[in-house]
Amino acid sequence: MKALPNLTALRFFLALFVVLFHIPQFCRNQEIPFFDALSIFHKGKEAVYVFFSLSGFLIIRQVYIEKKETGYISLPKFYMKRILRIFPLYYLILFTGFFYYRFLLPQLGYDFESNYNLLEGILLSVFFLPNVFGSLYHPGGIIEILWSIGIEEQFYLFIAPVMLWVKRNYILPVLAGFTIVYFAVFFSDLLPQLYQFKMYFFYFSSSGLASVLMLDKKVNGKGVKAAALLLLVMMTVYFTTNVFIDNLSEMGYHLFSMILFAVFLSAICQVPFTFLEHRIMKYLGTISYGIYMFHAIAMQLVGLVFIKLISNMGLPDIIQILLFNTLVIVLTILFAGISYRYYESYFLRLKKNFR
């Protein structure tokens, strides 16, 4: 299946927003100089919501095409492809986190208070409930960032059988109905666990709905590119200011974001933009899963160096801030690139057996 333009590079920017969101938080906790006065340093959650939307857009589109072309969806193949993409790095980071916080930090003389039973934490995480684990306890940043991966896997477990069982002609109304009902229930008191455990399924389903609507509606012409450019500008404003969301309630904020992301993805994938299709940007987007997963480890390592060495050198705060941010971003990209080439690629090559 031919890749849609611009979306691969988009992943890199989303991962970068998450990194920029977490760096000042980490530095504040470790009493390292930080800077977070601009809105771009506060958009990590929004970046994850776009990740959810993008995932729903692509996965539901892929499954719908299979259903349309074959009349069937192979659940074993669907889940094997997701396992080969998600599981290897997920479990590597998970057990690195447990080792780091429970064993390595104490050996280095740092006390990390673990307010959970290790077996319970392992079971919740291994069976893809890291959002529950992170909401109930504080296992440490390396483990806590896995919450969003758990949400994705939980949605996949739900949506693939639904797409299989529902007749193709009813997929659109089912997706629309689910999005509306789930959104209403999420912000009600009927199932508070949905909110507590951050189960933002409506981002997946709304963008999946948009992808199915747009699947056979691709058109050419200046109007499409103009619309895509306008939405790109809107997204830029969204991630660099609070203009659109300042006066919204939480429910209104999520409703606006959900619709904006779905419409944006539908438009941006219609026509290629040279910058987003540049090979460097596409490469960074290709390793974005690793960037998301490794950045907490990079922060911990750079933080240890700062605490032990750099903080005592008397450097101006601005130099320390620039140095910390640069080291974390460069080290994260380095880890992600190595992981993709020498670890993840082995499992990704196996995916061809399940096309």
Side-chain angles (χ1 to χ4, degrees):
M1 189 183 302
K2 186 178 179 181
L4 297 173
N6 306 321
L7 299 185
T8 300
L10 176 63
R11 294 177 185 274
F12 166 68
F13 289 102
L14 299 176
L16 183 61
F17 276 117
V18 174
V19 177
L20 294 176
F21 175 68
H22 283 143
I23 287 176
Q25 293 182 337
F26 177 86
C27 290
R28 182 187 294 110
N29 293 337
Q30 302 302 322
E31 299 183 350
I32 297 171
F34 66 92
F35 177 81
D36 67 347
L38 300 177
S39 293
I40 60 172
F41 292 96
H42 301 273
K43 299 296 183 176
K45 291 186 297 182
E46 287 79 3
V48 172
Y49 301 153
V50 181
F51 264 128
F52 289 164
S53 300
L54 179 57
S55 181
F57 187 89
L58 293 174
I59 293 298
I60 291 176
R61 179 180 185 274
Q62 170 191 322
V63 173
Y64 180 80
I65 290 174
E66 181 179 356
K67 179 99 170 184
K68 181 179 179 181
E69 293 180 350
T70 69
Y72 182 73
I73 297 170
S74 173
L75 294 183
K77 288 184 178 181
F78 173 82
Y79 288 122
M80 278 306 302
K81 286 189 288 187
R82 301 317 306 159
I83 286 170
L84 290 169
R85 183 66 190 106
I86 300 296
F87 280 31
L89 191 51
Y90 174 88
Y91 287 119
L92 175 64
I93 298 300
L94 174 65
F95 288 106
T96 298
F98 280 125
F99 173 77
Y100 180 78
Y101 292 115
R102 301 292 294 231
F103 301 104
L104 184 57
L105 273 186
Q107 291 296 318
L108 295 174
Y110 297 97
D111 291 327
F112 183 83
E113 183 179 352
S114 299
N115 63 339
Y116 64 91
N117 176 275
L118 181 59
L119 179 60
E120 180 185 5
I122 290 174
L123 290 175
L124 285 172
S125 302
V126 164
F127 291 103
F128 277 92
L129 294 170
N131 53 317
V132 177
F133 184 30
S135 296
L136 296 178
Y137 306 105
H138 300 287
I142 294 173
I143 298 173
E144 288 176 33
I145 64 164
L146 300 178
W147 73 272
S148 63
I149 311 301
I151 300 296
E152 282 201 53
E153 294 305 294
Q154 292 157 25
F155 183 76
Y156 295 150
L157 286 172
F158 159 77
I159 196 60
V162 170
M163 297 283 282
L164 171 63
W165 296 329
V166 173
K167 291 184 178 180
R168 187 171 67 86
N169 293 339
Y170 294 106
I171 286 178
L172 277 174
V174 166
L175 285 172
F178 171 81
T179 302
I180 294 169
V181 172
Y182 189 90
F183 187 88
V185 172
F186 187 90
F187 289 102
S188 72
D189 295 325
L190 294 176
L191 291 172
Q193 295 84 0
L194 300 179
Y195 183 89
Q196 179 186 1
F197 299 138
K198 307 175 184 177
M199 300 175 73
Y200 299 105
F201 287 178
F202 49 83
Y203 281 107
F204 297 90
S205 60
S206 59
S207 290
L209 173 65
S211 72
V212 173
L213 282 170
M214 293 297 295
L215 196 56
D216 299 318
K217 306 289 185 183
K218 185 173 180 179
V219 293
N220 298 311
K222 296 181 180 179
V224 177
K225 190 158 190 176
L229 185 59
L230 173 62
L231 284 158
L232 185 59
V233 171
M234 288 184 65
M235 287 291 284
T236 302
V237 173
Y238 181 95
F239 274 91
T240 55
T241 72
N242 291 319
V243 169
F244 293 136
I245 59 176
D246 253 346
N247 299 313
L248 296 178
S249 65
E250 185 172 14
M251 184 176 180
Y253 153 76
H254 281 288
L255 179 62
F256 174 80
S257 300
M258 176 182 73
I259 295 172
L260 174 63
F261 300 162
V263 175
F264 166 71
L265 292 172
S266 299
I268 200 68
C269 70
Q270 298 295 315
V271 287
F273 286 90
T274 303
F275 172 66
L276 293 174
E277 287 295 291
H278 191 279
R279 60 185 182 85
I280 295 177
M281 300 310 305
K282 292 181 75 170
Y283 171 74
L284 292 171
T286 299
I287 64 170
S288 60
Y289 180 40
I291 291 174
Y292 179 85
M293 297 293 271
F294 280 105
H295 80 276
I297 294 176
M299 282 194 301
Q300 291 289 333
L301 295 178
V302 174
L304 289 175
V305 172
F306 260 72
I307 293 170
K308 289 290 187 180
L309 299 175
I310 297 177
S311 294
N312 299 320
M313 294 173 63
L315 297 174
D317 284 358
I318 184 63
I319 299 299
Q320 293 193 52
I321 293 169
L322 290 173
L323 186 59
F324 192 96
N325 281 263
T326 301
L327 286 174
V328 169
I329 292 171
V330 170
L331 194 60
T332 298
I333 292 174
L334 180 63
F335 285 166
I338 293 172
S339 171
Y340 186 84
R341 181 170 182 179
Y342 297 105
Y343 179 60
E344 297 165 64
S345 291
Y346 170 78
F347 300 97
L348 293 175
R349 285 193 294 269
L350 299 178
K351 288 177 66 178
K352 65 183 180 182
N353 297 323
F354 301 97
R355 289 176 181 169

